[in-house]
Each structure stands twice: as C-alpha cells, then as structure tokens.
C-alpha cells in the first residue's frame, strides 16, 4: 500500500511540470516541427559522421552535449496512409531486428495536428556479440519514433537519448512528437 501511495505521489508531482520549450522550425512548405530549446541543427558534415547513410536525413537537431538528437528523414514508399494497420506490425518487427533487445513503452496509430502517425516509444539495447575476450558494455537508448506517409514519401521523426536520461527527456520527446505539423 505504501508503494502504491508513493508511486501515485511521484506521478502527481511529475505530471504537472512545466511543458518543454519548443521552437517551431519550418523544414518545407508543408512541414514544420518543434525543436527543443538549446538544440541546434547539425551541419552536413556532422550529419554524415553521426548518420552515415546513402540518404542523409532532411534535418538533425542535437543538444549541446551531442548526446540527444531529433532527426527528420524522408524516404520513398509504395505504401499509403490507409496501410498504417499493416505498417505498424512491419515497423515494429524492423525495430526489433535492429537491436539486441527492445522494450516497447508505447505503440499505436495516433492523430497529431489532424494527421495520422504510427508511433513507437521504446528503450533499445545493443549488446557486444563479438566472441573476443573483451566485451563492451551494452548501449541502451530511449527512443520515440513517428512515421507518416504523404504521397509517395515516408517521413520518419526520431528522438533519441541515452536510456539513463529517459526520465529527463521523455516529456520533451513526447512534446516534440506532438508539435509536428504536416499540411496536405
């Protein structure tokens, strides 16, 4: 009983904290996002180092320490938004294949600013699977990922922070995901 009371008190104290401060950034004529205060855009060479890929993200914003990122990527797709029911299963499976372990916090299809999104929130773990004598500590990250389809493009919004800082960054990640505006 004491534990339940303590848990309820903790929830009450943390749920009424100030909303994270976001700055609206227009990335395209039909797309704007909320970027956390203090985050700065990563230059192209920084993106290339941190996110090596043939298709660089549309934008990456990083906190001053460089440990927390919010990125927006655009990829071609043949799916349409009415496929979200099937896509949520496909994307969940893809996320699980990317990491050694995934603990899902939330997964759903939700509406943000009049637009449907596929949403995942989870903690990922990548463990060192080399068979050498020196094992590296697992890397754990808190992530919120949101997907939307517009025409033939898939938009992927990702917020990543160290798992040990989840309590600090989770309200910000949720605010960022709730501040995305995509116009048709």
């Amino acid at each position: 009983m004491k534990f339940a009371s303590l848990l309820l008190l903790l929830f009450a104290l943390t749920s009424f904290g100030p909303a994270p401060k976001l700055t609206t950034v227009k990335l395209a004529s039909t797309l704007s996002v909320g970027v956390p205060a203090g985050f700065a855009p990563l230059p192209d060479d920084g993106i290339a180092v941190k996110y090596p890929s043939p298709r660089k993200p549309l934008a990456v914003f990083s906190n001053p320490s460089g440990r927390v990122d919010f990125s927006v990527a655009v990829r071609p797709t043949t799916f349409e938004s009415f496929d979200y029911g099937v896509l949520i299963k496909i994307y969940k499976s893809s996320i699980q294949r990317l990491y050694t372990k995934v603990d899902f916090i939330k997964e759903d299809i939700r509406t943000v600013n009049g637009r449907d999104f596929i949403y995942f929130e989870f903690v990922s773990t990548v463990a060192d699977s080399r068979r050498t004598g020196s094992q590296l500590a697992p890397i754990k990250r808190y992530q919120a990922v949101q997907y939307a389809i517009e025409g033939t493009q898939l938009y992927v919004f990702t917020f990543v922070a160290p798992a040990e800082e989840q309590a600090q960054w989770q309200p910000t990640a949720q605010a960022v995901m709730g501040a995305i505006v995509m116009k048709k």
Side-chain angles (χ1 to χ4, degrees):
M1 184 66 175
K2 284 183 181 183
F3 178 73
S5 299
L6 182 62
L7 190 61
L8 185 60
L9 177 64
L10 180 65
F11 176 73
L13 291 174
T14 58
S15 63
F16 297 110
K21 293 187 190 310
L22 303 177
T23 302
T24 301
V25 175
K26 192 170 188 170
L27 297 178
S29 61
T30 59
L31 174 63
S32 63
V33 296
V35 176
F39 277 50
L42 224 54
D44 285 345
D45 56 340
I47 291 173
V49 169
K50 206 166 188 179
Y51 295 91
S53 170
R55 291 189 189 120
K56 81 175 186 97
L58 181 62
V60 178
F61 302 90
S62 194
N63 76 333
S65 72
R67 293 172 41 97
V68 181
D69 289 338
F70 171 55
S71 65
V72 180
V74 182
R75 307 279 184 264
T77 185
T78 57
F79 291 105
E80 298 188 30
S81 59
F82 61 79
D83 295 326
Y84 281 7
V86 172
L87 289 174
I88 193 169
K89 295 172 186 169
I90 293 170
Y91 293 150
K92 180 177 182 178
S93 178
S94 295
I95 290 168
Q96 290 171 317
R97 282 194 311 270
L98 285 173
Y99 305 102
T100 307
K101 180 181 176 192
V102 179
D103 295 315
F104 286 94
I105 299 164
K106 189 166 190 175
E107 57 183 275
D108 65 4
I109 298 170
R110 64 189 198 158
T111 303
V112 176
N113 297 316
R115 165 73 63 158
D116 286 341
F117 290 89
I118 297 171
Y119 179 76
F120 294 101
E121 194 173 356
F122 57 93
V123 174
S124 64
T125 304
V126 175
D128 184 3
S129 60
R130 295 178 296 177
R131 298 185 188 263
T132 62
S134 63
Q135 292 284 327
L136 298 174
I139 298 170
K140 297 179 86 172
R141 292 199 170 115
Y142 162 74
Q143 299 186 52
V145 182
Q146 209 160 254
Y147 302 89
I149 294 175
E150 178 58 41
T152 60
Q153 300 296 312
L154 170 67
Y155 288 80
V156 183
F157 305 89
T158 308
F159 190 97
V160 181
E164 62 271 12
E165 297 176 22
Q166 176 183 345
Q168 173 188 349
W169 289 107
Q170 190 169 24
T172 303
Q174 292 170 347
V176 164
M177 294 303 173
I180 297 166
V181 177
M182 292 181 70
K183 298 175 186 169
K184 292 184 179 189

